[in-house]
Amino acid sequence: MSEVVQLFGARAGAYASFRPHYPDALFEWLAEHTPQRRSALDIACGNGQASRPLAQRFEQVLGCDASVEQLQAAELDGVALFAADAARQPLADGQLDLIVVAQALHWFATPEFFAESRRLLRPGGLFAAWCYGLMRIDQRIDALIDHLYQVTLAGCWPQGRASIEAEYGDLQPPFPRIAVPAFAMQAHWSLEQLAGYLRTWSAVQRWERQHGHDPIADLMPALRQVWGDDRQQRRVSWPLHFLAGYPAG
């Protein structure tokens, strides 16, 4: 099992509680740009943030993840879950109308993975992957989070994180990209919710293992000073960045 899988599996419950939700308009766009809505696969599905809205729009939705712990934390009605490596799917050729990868493609964007995606998709089937980087709240809070990300956690991010910083512009799929409208996640969070989200970062978990204590606890006094009342909810935004196209023609 890779270290990345172990890191995400270790706090599967926290992922289910604190990860933000993707906008419904994104899934409407995916459904509109998929020729048929029979079968969709969510690769590296985690707790099912993408699987759940897909199940409202497709006849059959499959969700796979390399982390059994993530799958066990997911509560998904109408989604068939299974453990599998992203590049080795136990599915038939041309079985799928849609493949999505939400906030995970950078861990396995290999030629083997793209070849597997092409094998699985029907002619005209859509592939869509997206990522999001740092949230934006306000200038003072953003500065503290940027320092955590860039300075405190420097050297702790697993390989592949650079692709998120490049907004997936560094990835070269073997098919033409298509344009995707601007979408963003939005949430209204208390300081406690923000802290819970920051603790799901893989680099935070790695830093904590190396140093023996929680870096978010170290950051909380400064965050409280600029946040105000801990219970006050603030608007949080994450722009999404896409790699999408039709691998099977």
Side-chain angles (χ1 to χ4, degrees):
M1 181 184 296
S2 73
E3 182 188 10
V4 171
V5 173
Q6 291 176 333
L7 289 171
F8 289 126
R11 295 187 179 174
Y15 270 83
S17 299
F18 294 112
R19 285 281 159 154
H21 298 289
Y22 302 117
D24 283 343
L26 166 58
F27 298 98
E28 288 298 318
W29 184 89
L30 291 170
E32 290 170 1
H33 287 77
T34 303
Q36 300 184 67
R37 303 183 187 181
R38 290 174 292 181
S39 185
L41 171 63
D42 180 9
I43 296 179
C45 64
N47 59 62
Q49 289 172 282
S51 305
R52 193 174 291 107
L54 287 174
Q56 300 171 7
R57 296 165 173 88
F58 286 79
E59 296 175 18
Q60 179 190 47
V61 174
L62 310 173
C64 78
D65 202 287
S67 169
V68 174
E69 291 83 3
Q70 286 276 10
L71 295 174
Q72 290 173 339
E75 297 181 1
L76 298 173
D77 294 330
V79 179
L81 299 175
F82 60 94
D85 182 272
R88 292 187 293 274
Q89 295 291 327
L91 302 173
D93 294 0
Q95 180 176 339
L96 303 172
D97 299 299
L98 172 68
I99 292 175
V100 302
V101 186
Q103 191 70 355
L105 178 63
H106 45 284
W107 304 127
F108 47 77
T110 63
E112 292 76 15
F113 170 75
F114 286 120
E116 181 72 339
S117 297
R118 180 170 183 170
R119 180 185 73 81
L120 294 171
L121 285 166
R122 297 185 176 101
L126 176 64
F127 176 92
W130 60 87
C131 68
Y132 55 91
L134 293 176
M135 79 291 285
R136 301 290 84 180
I137 304 174
D138 71 22
Q139 186 174 359
R140 294 184 301 165
I141 298 169
D142 293 350
L144 291 173
I145 294 172
D146 290 351
H147 187 272
L148 170 71
Y149 179 91
Q150 297 169 359
V151 179
T152 304
L153 302 177
C156 291
W157 291 103
Q159 186 177 5
R161 183 72 190 185
S163 291
I164 292 180
E165 295 174 355
E167 300 176 358
Y168 280 1
D170 62 326
L171 300 182
Q172 301 298 323
F175 52 82
R177 293 184 185 230
I178 62 171
V180 180
F183 294 110
M185 297 187 297
Q186 307 285 343
H188 288 84
W189 275 355
S190 66
L191 180 57
E192 180 182 356
Q193 288 172 301
L194 173 64
Y197 167 75
L198 294 175
R199 289 187 173 103
T200 69
W201 283 5
S202 57
V204 167
Q205 297 173 53
R206 181 181 278 180
W207 194 98
E208 185 173 350
R209 290 181 181 181
Q210 292 176 355
H211 295 84
H213 69 280
D214 176 13
I216 306 308
D218 296 342
L219 182 62
M220 288 301 286
L223 278 174
R224 284 195 176 93
Q225 187 173 2
V226 298
W227 191 279
D229 184 346
D230 288 10
R231 296 167 296 179
Q232 177 185 353
Q233 290 196 333
R234 292 182 176 271
R235 181 176 176 271
V236 188
S237 178
W238 298 259
L240 300 178
H241 312 289
F242 289 85
L243 186 161
Y246 295 97

